[in-house]
Structure formats: C-alpha cells, structure tokens
Amino acid sequence: MENCIFCKIANGEIPAAKLYEDEEMVVFRDLHPQAKVHVLAVPRQHFKLFADMNAEQAEIVKNMLVKIPQIAPSLGLADGYRLIVNQGENAGQTVFHLHMHLLGGEKLPE
Ligand code: AMP
C-alpha cells in the first residue's frame, strides 16, 4: 500500500533493523523501544485490523503465531515476552498496518 511505512520496510524501500524475514513476515526493531528488547512482527500483506483479514491473511497470521515462538530465542526473548497487538485508534494504534509488538529481554512491569 502506498505511503505505508511498514509496507516500505517490508519491501526494503526504507531501512529498518531487520532480525528475521521470510515470504510472509518481517521482524524488525521498534524505533522507540519500550523494553530492553522491543521488536515488531509484521505481515508483508497490508491490512489494518484483525477485523479486516481475508482467509489468506488469517492463514498468514496463524503462521506468524506458529513462527514467533520458534524464532523468539534468536530475538533475545528466550525467557518470555509480551505480545501486544493494538487494534484501532482507541488502543493507540499509530501505524495502520497490522503488527505485533514483542516486548521482553528483561522482567516487564506487571
Ligand atoms: P502502534 O502504536 O501499535 O501502531 O505501534 C507502532 C510502532 O511502530 C511504534 O512502537 C513505533 O515506535 C514504531 N515505528 C514507527 N515507525 C517505525 C520505523 N520506521 N521503524 C521501526 N519502528 C517504527
């Protein structure tokens, strides 16, 4: 999607500290980390919300949820992490391309 920062990161148009990528998703460091390790897992396909997903995109999200625990140790998240997916303006979503925040690398506040 034009003018979507996460589409541009996914396709390499703008740089990011990428830690993992495959045909369906990219994982890169958040620009403004809220924990010792703060990365974003982003599907390459552009959609804003879980509510907007088609069947193919739902399958991609399912695959992401399988892959994230597999790659977590390589991201510095072996001892656990918090997974946050902001959905919409009231939740504080600021980038309207679905993304999962993975926070960890330390004991997080309750
Ligand atoms: P959200 O508030 O859930 O939409 O989260 C968007 C996140 O994207 C924020 O934590 C930002 O710090 C992060 N972010 C915005 N632009 C970039 C960028 N160019 N590279 C990495 N992270 C970014």
Side-chain angles (χ1 to χ4, degrees):
M1 152 112 19
E2 220 180 312
N3 290 327
C4 169
I5 192 144
F6 287 176
C7 284
K8 289 183 178 174
I9 287 173
N11 69 24
E13 250 182 271
I14 66 167
K18 285 184 187 164
L19 301 175
Y20 174 86
E21 60 185 313
D22 63 25
E23 67 286 353
E24 291 182 331
M25 76 161 170
V26 295
V27 178
F28 54 90
R29 291 197 192 281
D30 195 291
L31 211 49
H32 304 291
Q34 305 295 313
K36 199 166 166 195
V37 177
H38 184 176
V39 302
L40 301 171
V42 177
R44 289 186 185 278
Q45 282 205 23
H46 181 96
F47 56 98
K48 175 182 172 186
L49 299 168
F50 289 132
D52 298 334
M53 288 186 304
N54 61 30
E56 183 193 354
Q57 291 161 346
E59 188 67 19
I60 289 168
V61 166
K62 188 197 84 178
N63 294 338
M64 289 174 70
L65 292 172
V66 171
K67 286 181 265 192
I68 284 169
Q70 293 171 351
I71 64 171
S74 71
L75 303 172
L77 298 170
D79 295 328
Y81 52 92
R82 189 165 289 157
L83 191 148
I84 296 170
V85 192
N86 292 323
Q87 296 288 278
E89 287 84 350
N90 277 6
Q93 187 175 4
T94 58
V95 177
F96 299 121
H97 178 135
L98 189 110
H99 53 280
M100 304 183 191
H101 295 257
L102 308 180
L103 297 150
E106 62 183 332
K107 183 91 177 155
L108 299 173
E110 298 289 312

